[in-house]
Amino acid sequence: LASCAAGSDAERTPGTIAAAVRGISFSGLTGQVTLSEEDGSRQEASVLLYNVRTLAQGTEAQELVRVGAFVDGAWRVERNLTYAGGAATPPVAPTEHVLRVRVLGEWWDEVGTPFPGRARSDGNDLVMVAIALAVRDFNARNGTYVAAFGSAETRACGITLLPEYRHTGWSAPRALSEAVGEGVDAVLGPVYSSQAEASGHGLGLTGTPQVTVWTSGASLSNVDELPSLVRNYPSTLQYASTFVQWLHFNGWTQAGMLVDASDFGTAYSEAMVSAATALGINVVIASFADQGEQEQQLDSLRAAVGQLAARDMRIVLAPVSSASLPGIAQFGREFGLFSDAHHWVFYNSFPISTIEKMEPAELRAAFDGAAYIQALGGKIGHGPFEAFRSHWTSGAFSPEDVNALLPSIGHIEDSYFGDNFNDITAFAYDAVATLGLGACTRPMDVLGHPEFGRAWWSSLAPFEGVSGSPEVIFDDNGDRHISGLAFALRRITVAPAAGAGAPSPPAHPIAALLTSGSWETIPGQAFVFTDGTTTPPADRAPPTVAGSRGKGDSSPSGSGGGAGEALATSPGLSSDVVMALLYAAVALVGFAIAVAVVLRVRRARLRWFEALAAEHEVQQREEERIVEAARFMAHLRAPMCLVRLDDFTAHGKLLLHEVVRDRGQLHVLDTYEEVLAFTADTEVIFVSHQWLGSSEPDPHDVHYTAMKGACHRIANDLGKNPQEVYVWVDYLSIPQRCEGLKLLSIQSLALYAATASTFLVVAPESVHADTGAVCNLDTYKARGWCRLENWAAILRINELARVYVVSSGDGAELHNLESDPEYESLWWSTAVRVFDGQFTVEEDKALLVNTILGLWIFSLKRQSHASQRVLEVIGNEREGVFPKRWCGKLVDTADGMLALRPGKPNEREQRADNESARAGILRTRVATSHPLPGVQRTRMVTSAAASSGGQRSQVAPKLVRRSTTTTLRVRRLVAYRPLMSALHLADGWEARATTMRGQGHDPPRQRRPRSHLRATWSQLSRRRKMSRTSSASSSKPASSRP
């Protein structure tokens, strides 16, 4: 059209055509075309907007639906516009954040054999593969199995999970070391309760979220000790509830329980008794040993089974491991506990295939008809679970997607998916969902702070997961709520022996399901008990029926006269008879009152005994804590990191620990023995100072200059060059970025100071960078942490000869506490009053109690002049040094254990004898004639049965009183020997304390032999014996003694 409008051929040129194009307008195939007068560009174009929609789920057929157009420079929506997932509102642009997840498990051998070469039924590798599938779906926001993955809220959170798989080696310490460290934002696993508890303590300190997959231990429900741990698998209490609900469902009111005597078995027993008591069911516990020689274990198991048979327990609950099954079958058949009148209930602590493979066939047949409770990965018919199981068994999952997230050693083969499906994979998938969805509810600006993971599941809304029945929901303890779990009850069906000719029964059919906390039978699949019927057996033997009276005995008279008539026609009662009846009534009332008084007195005595027992337990816990405090001063919580003096000088300022570490300039001592060996031959200067900033210790290098000058002067006085001297300074010797390692290092602070050769106090006149306050020697002495370092140093360094104070900015004014009385007050007046010092966080004082107790014990133990001065200061200011708010009675308990506190040892000894005697009587009375109600009663019966092979102990209280002295001595031996062992372990201090490089010190002492422990115990025993003898002699004439 423009060419035609440009004129004739002679007039038509590129310029005339271009001019004709501008402003042209016509109706074309794309709508009205109008070109600009200025540059000839299209003024309006019909730009349309379509939705691509799938016609049917599971098909590739799609259609385009026009929903809008671009008109007059703006979009105009013509129909309902939908976004991904069918949302009517547009998604919010996410803020991308990578959450680094440490996955802990046992999924390859130590030699590096990947799990595809192992048995395909190994649940550990199934867990790891399921975790990889869930991470893939969460990152892709694929809501096929967990619909919340595709929600608008999850898409907007912008979190991507980055898994890192680690092998924990079936070791709790290794699980802790793998879980705690830099670069870990969250943890999945491990799969065993002991490892989860160990790692959970460390992760709780740093506030790192942790989700376990396959753990059921009762101790994991302690939210106070494990504040960031969530359990995605049923707990011991929930499993116990399923057992008790099965008893309640069948109308049973009593049952026996066979369990091992491990921590796991004890926790199961307590949970079972608690749940049964709530429903009025009596459970008798019979426990057996699971450790020791095999013959001893079998004897213990036989005694426990015999105890249940003696109590005629018809219903037996057995949460046991597969190792106990052969013995249970053998002894149960021996005592007749596998008859048609009995019913056994197991749970999935072992696979049913263990019974199928048991030989001989007689043992295997004993379990036919028993019940087997297992946790289901999802409720039968639950859509997400059925879809997940179907895709797994059909091989629809892609191994390539999984291998992209697994390390090379864990890559799976192409034929991995199939009949190896296990319900645990559903719990593993939901563990990732719990972590991902929970992280989306937490503010990312507090990631890495302890508050990030503390009870982090409380903000997580219930969601429909693979294992949800119907929803995944957690309680206040971080455990899966039983309302969202599903359990199945199977009937163990043992195939007949080969050659019997009978058809094989169906494999362990499901007869009942537990959802929402109660059992429901499956229509047409009632549970068939051992006798072949669906009627539950009686839980006790039927009562004996006595002979009936004849018809003539039913009435006292055969004449038809009523009793009223007989009484009316009888003659009057004589006065003697009336008096006799009156006396009898008075006697009965008096007897009833006497019985009531006796019962009330017995109950009062029992409560008194319980109070004494509680007091005794408190004292025992205090003694155990004293022993732990003594060990606290002989075990490093974190390695001791030192830097050579020449490297320290070259730094030019106080550098961060991680910077010095990356330079390779740290000398790391991992154990207490390594520290003692190193400091015996090498000069180590411990530098103590007050921080001059809130986030940086020395912003203007005031302290660094003083440290450098003082350390070089000390090295010159000792005749050492800078390459032979090492320095410890908090900022470069303690990790600063990893909160977990930082806390462990702070707990070892006193031990660092106590093992150094020289103690240097740096306190020149300076100004705090943030507050503007003046910082000097006085403010240094007021700091609680500085006082702790001073006290610890005096235990290691002989007297005050190796304690220095630098008060000038260049380190020139160096004062020795032994030769300078003015500065000697730094130690004596303030060092021991740690709790009176200033702390930025007041609650830090609670962390120092064990350390202070350890320092006090070793102050008593050492015989140096400095220790005597410490005792004098503490003797005058005891309440100030050991305030009751933080230390309670622990110091008095330590004094009593060491028998060194000034006072009246005979009076204290007598009081301990009386308390132990009362506690001994209590133990015997409770175990015999005065069982406690509820759970405690069951524990006592169990303990007595286990100790006597099924027979209850009947020790007379009189014998206990006579053996009080022996009992007390045994208790003291148990309390004293660990304490003396801890003191003996720390004798390395004395053996190396005299090897200082100064002048005038005693020659080094050799470490005392182990026989010193026995000698010390003998001396203490003789001292107490002489004390008691002298006391008795002064109160009794000699002739009255035998």
Side-chain angles (χ1 to χ4, degrees), residues 100 102 164 166 177-185 206 656-659 661-662 735-741:
R100 298 162 297 183
R102 183 75 53 88
E164 179 187 8
R166 292 293 182 90
S177 63
E178 294 289 357
V180 179
E182 291 190 51
V184 180
D185 297 327
T206 59
L656 188 70
H657 169 85
E658 285 73 15
V659 175
R661 178 200 62 191
D662 295 341
Q736 301 296 319
R737 292 175 179 169
C738 178
E739 292 295 331
L741 293 178

Side-chain angles (χ1 to χ4, degrees), residues 219-243:
S219 59
L220 301 184
S221 299
N222 191 336
V223 71
D224 294 329
E225 296 184 2
L226 306 171
S228 61
L229 185 143
V230 172
R231 186 207 325 249
N232 202 55
Y233 192 72
S235 66
T236 298
L237 181 60
Q238 291 162 339
Y239 261 114
S241 177
T242 63
F243 277 93

Side-chain angles (χ1 to χ4, degrees), residues 165 170 177 652 712 991 998:
Y165 289 80
W170 294 272
S177 63
H712 277 278

Side-chain angles (χ1 to χ4, degrees), residues 657-678:
H657 169 85
E658 285 73 15
V659 175
V660 182
R661 178 200 62 191
D662 295 341
R663 292 184 179 182
Q665 295 177 346
L666 287 180
H667 186 82
V668 180
L669 303 174
D670 294 311
T671 65
Y672 176 68
E673 290 74 13
E674 291 181 11
V675 172
L676 292 181
F678 183 79

Side-chain angles (χ1 to χ4, degrees), residues 238-521:
Q238 291 162 339
Y239 261 114
S241 177
T242 63
F243 277 93
V244 174
Q245 286 294 335
W246 179 241
L247 299 177
H248 183 68
F249 179 81
N250 290 285
W252 294 319
T253 58
Q254 75 170 13
M257 182 175 180
L258 187 65
V259 68
D260 60 64
S262 63
D263 293 339
F264 172 81
T266 302
Y268 226 113
S269 302
E270 295 176 354
M272 190 75 72
V273 171
S274 176
T277 303
L279 294 177
I281 300 175
N282 180 39
V283 177
V284 177
I285 309 296
S287 61
F288 58 91
D290 64 334
Q291 296 181 355
E293 299 293 335
Q294 183 177 6
E295 184 176 354
Q296 296 176 350
Q297 296 184 36
L298 291 176
D299 291 342
S300 178
L301 178 59
R302 186 179 186 277
V305 175
Q307 179 187 356
L308 295 179
R311 300 288 295 271
D312 194 22
M313 291 293 108
R314 303 295 183 90
I315 313 301
V316 182
L317 314 177
V320 298
S321 64
S322 57
S324 305
L325 294 178
I328 291 175
Q330 176 184 348
F331 302 131
R333 295 175 70 248
E334 176 184 344
F335 288 101
L337 292 182
F338 281 104
S339 68
D340 291 347
H342 292 81
H343 179 64
W344 286 73
V345 186
F346 300 90
Y347 89 115
N348 60 328
S349 57
F350 60 86
I352 300 183
S353 59
T354 304
I355 296 178
E356 298 172 347
K357 300 174 183 178
M358 189 179 299
E359 294 294 342
E362 290 78 9
L363 297 182
R364 183 171 66 248
F367 297 100
D368 187 53
Y372 181 87
I373 297 176
Q374 70 175 120
L376 294 178
K379 183 178 180 180
I380 297 178
H382 181 55
F385 174 74
E386 297 294 349
F388 184 76
R389 179 171 59 179
S390 174
H391 292 167
W392 185 295
T393 55
S394 64
F397 290 132
S398 170
E400 290 78 9
D401 293 346
V402 176
N403 290 337
L405 296 172
L406 294 175
S408 58
I409 192 175
H411 285 181
I412 61 175
E413 54 196 5
D414 294 339
S415 59
Y416 181 81
F417 294 104
D419 58 0
N420 63 336
F421 177 81
N422 189 300
D423 288 82
I424 191 59
T425 57
F427 290 104
Y429 192 97
D430 281 349
V432 177
T434 301
L435 178 62
L437 297 177
C440 286
T441 65
R442 307 295 289 177
M444 289 295 104
D445 56 346
V446 295
L447 180 65
H449 190 275
E451 292 303 321
F452 177 78
R454 191 176 303 277
W456 59 275
W457 63 89
S458 59
S459 59
L460 175 63
F463 64 92
E464 185 181 28
V466 178
S467 64
S469 298
E471 290 182 327
V472 176
I473 184 173
F474 297 92
D475 59 19
D476 294 338
N477 295 325
D479 293 333
R480 280 285 293 270
H481 198 279
I482 196 169
S483 63
L485 293 169
F487 296 86
L489 186 132
R490 295 181 179 272
R491 182 189 190 276
I492 298 179
T493 305
V494 179
S504 298
H508 321 298
I510 296 178
L513 295 175
L514 186 144
T515 55
S516 301
S518 60
W519 287 104
E520 297 178 1
T521 57

